[in-house]
Amino acid sequence: MLNACPTTINFDVYQPRNPKASAYYRCVEDHFEQLEAVWDERYQRRFGFWRPYVMDVIQRYMDCGDLHFGFARVKCEDCGHEYLLAYSCKRRHFCPSCHQKRVVEFGEWLCEEVLKHVPHRQWVFSIPKRIRIYFLFDRKLLTKLSRCAWKVLNLYLTQAVPYDDAKAGAAVAVQSFGDFQNFHPHLHILVTDGCLYNDAAFMVCPPPDTSELEKLFRYEVFKMLKAEGKITDCKIENMMNWHHSGFSVYCGKAIWPQNEDGLANLARYIIRASFSQERMKYVAAQDSSDGIAKVIYESKDGKTSKTFEALDWLAQLITHIPNKGEQMIRYYGFYSNKSRGLRKKAGTDDEVPALIDSALSRKAFRKNWACLIQKIYHVDPLLCPKCLGSMRIIAFIEDQQIVKKILQHLDLWHVKRKPPARANDPPTQAIIIFDDSSASDADAYLIDADRTSLRLSTGYPIETYL
Ligand SMILES: [Zn+2]
Ligand SMILES: [Zn+2]
């Protein structure tokens, strides 16, 4: 499989990141306990009840890539070179490293397994400020919002292709955030620019009139909110009279199937993270003139920035953490799970991939992860940095006593300020954490072949423990 990877990369020695040095990490570490403590009083009215799952996400992020919580040993089959691989938290949106991996994984999977070789377009559907709060307090409505948009798009696309079996396909991604992490639910949709019909044919649609679609979308959303008991006829009537409806429908340029990069970029864009570490600055309480910690966040175009109290910024940020198992992407029409399943059964489609959160997609990901990580970080985790031989995972070390012994032996054991929260939890998946920085202490995480043959202080070779 590795041979299938691009080979133009300069295979350097690994540079595991030092996540705890980042401004973001320090901001989280300084405030997460206080955030929970003051939530009810300070944020509940604005952002809804405290979600205990959020604390799980935060704590796992803080342990992500930390060797103290266990690791895998990876060894070169040719020269015996070995290093330790820390576990990752795999939590969406909150952990920048894990989210970024998911973004690449998703882009690859969507383009290869779901989207057909036909033209596509990106659509963006958004809703007025006044009704956003319903979606914050009741996240299930986000699914219904996806369906409203699909209904409208599907109507337009199937109307334009006059065959009974015409079918459009869409991947609808919910994004809950605006430029400054404010709660701003909207939909990014990658949809076929026409319909498939008669088994193998595809007909392109005429250019759309977005204002027509906007009216339909508004109608569907009001209907849905009314059925859910959120708004009354009176309020709908009032909002219908607004000069600017606040609803908007944007339609991007058509992307032709030959433009594979364009499509892959778009696929990645629709599940991008709610914030960018590069755009944030953290001023800790002790460095702040008024003694209150701050986050200064720059807009996407770099032209403006906003200063938040760090606690307020974090409170806002966690509203974008999806609930456990909550799907942020849905597939409709020709791309629905059901359609893909039927085609698979009939042998008319390639292997059917599961949703991004399911076990199967993780399996599919593992198959490709070396290749994918190479694309992001320009290194190949399963390629030996010394001899370019192939490496494999030879053991998972989870027992806290053994973890401690090995790390102490390698002088990598550092007493943490906070005790390990969940030492007995099973690890999720072993993965290497990299970044592009060339941290001078990066090599500290590497074990070279000579050192592994050393004996622990008890006199046993390291293998005795494993
Ligand atoms: Zn080697
Ligand atoms: Zn993580």
Side-chain angles (χ1 to χ4, degrees), residues 208-415:
D209 177 352
T210 52
S211 66
E212 284 303 311
L213 268 67
E214 190 184 298
K215 280 182 209 140
L216 285 172
F217 181 55
R218 181 176 62 176
Y219 171 81
E220 289 296 338
V221 173
F222 282 154
K223 197 168 79 175
M224 180 272 285
L225 288 176
K226 192 186 160 193
E228 291 292 315
K230 305 290 178 192
I231 53 174
T232 58
D233 281 329
C234 185
K235 188 162 181 182
I236 294 176
E237 213 182 299
N238 174 286
M239 290 182 76
M240 291 290 272
N241 287 328
W242 287 3
H243 188 57
H244 293 292
S245 80
F247 286 87
S248 89
V249 171
Y250 159 86
C251 171
K253 286 198 182 95
I255 303 166
W256 292 86
Q258 303 88 299
N259 183 2
E260 286 177 15
D261 285 351
L263 210 53
N265 285 339
L266 201 51
R268 289 195 281 265
Y269 184 78
I270 69 172
I271 69 153
R272 76 188 200 276
S274 46
F275 73 104
S276 147
Q277 286 198 91
E278 288 70 43
R279 280 158 56 195
M280 83 166 277
K281 263 198 205 108
Y282 174 57
V283 184
Q286 62 268 25
D287 303 323
S288 170
S289 55
D290 59 2
I292 297 171
K294 304 277 176 6
V295 167
I296 303 159
Y297 197 84
E298 206 172 73
S299 64
K300 203 164 28 178
D301 59 14
K303 286 184 184 152
T304 50
S305 69
K306 275 190 187 174
T307 303
F308 300 85
E309 278 191 26
L311 205 57
D312 291 349
W313 186 76
L314 269 183
Q316 211 172 243
L317 185 66
I318 65 169
T319 63
H320 306 301
I321 298 176
N323 285 326
K324 194 172 182 178
E326 181 180 350
Q327 289 296 335
M328 299 304 274
I329 299 154
R330 297 198 144 66
Y331 305 90
Y332 295 99
F334 198 78
Y335 294 155
S336 71
N337 297 333
K338 194 178 161 201
S339 295
R340 296 203 314 263
L342 288 173
R343 288 199 296 276
K344 155 109 173 150
K345 229 174 175 174
T348 55
D349 201 40
D350 301 324
E351 185 186 323
V352 175
L355 290 175
I356 202 74
D357 267 350
S358 76
L360 184 66
S361 85
R362 278 200 294 275
K363 203 173 125 201
F365 173 50
R366 269 202 292 275
K367 211 174 72 188
N368 278 330
W369 71 286
C371 212
L372 294 171
I373 288 176
Q374 190 178 0
K375 278 190 187 167
I376 324 175
Y377 299 107
H378 306 290
V379 290
D380 183 341
L382 292 183
L383 201 73
C384 177
K386 293 215 160 169
C387 76
L388 301 189
S390 54
M391 304 191 83
R392 63 186 185 90
I393 293 169
I394 54 170
F396 293 97
I397 318 297
E398 285 139 32
D399 184 300
Q400 275 300 300
Q401 291 308 313
I402 301 173
V403 166
K404 188 175 175 180
K405 263 182 187 152
I406 294 177
L407 294 186
Q408 277 176 338
H409 169 71
L410 296 166
D411 202 21
L412 292 174
W413 180 262
H414 304 290
V415 179

Side-chain angles (χ1 to χ4, degrees), residues 76 79 81 384 387:
C76 175
C79 75
H81 174 67
C384 177
C387 76

Side-chain angles (χ1 to χ4, degrees), residues 17 60-61 64-65 88-91 95-99 433:
R17 69 184 172 131
R60 281 179 188 269
Y61 157 67
C64 182
S88 66
C89 73
K90 302 182 72 192
R91 293 299 185 269
C95 177
S97 161
C98 291
H99 192 87
I433 311 296

Side-chain angles (χ1 to χ4, degrees), residues 147-220:
R147 209 171 295 139
C148 291
W150 165 245
K151 220 170 151 184
V152 170
L153 270 178
N154 190 42
L155 184 73
Y156 149 68
L157 292 164
T158 49
Q159 283 293 307
V161 180
Y163 294 92
D164 286 347
D165 63 346
K167 256 190 162 185
V172 181
V174 174
Q175 281 186 3
S176 60
F177 49 89
D179 205 16
F180 290 99
Q181 291 73 51
N182 46 314
F183 192 80
H184 176 7
H186 59 285
L187 308 165
H188 284 261
I189 307 177
L190 243 169
V191 64
T192 52
D193 193 31
C195 291
L196 292 116
Y197 65 100
N198 197 13
D199 285 341
F202 180 84
M203 184 180 281
V204 177
C205 274
D209 177 352
T210 52
S211 66
E212 284 303 311
L213 268 67
E214 190 184 298
K215 280 182 209 140
L216 285 172
F217 181 55
R218 181 176 62 176
Y219 171 81
E220 289 296 338

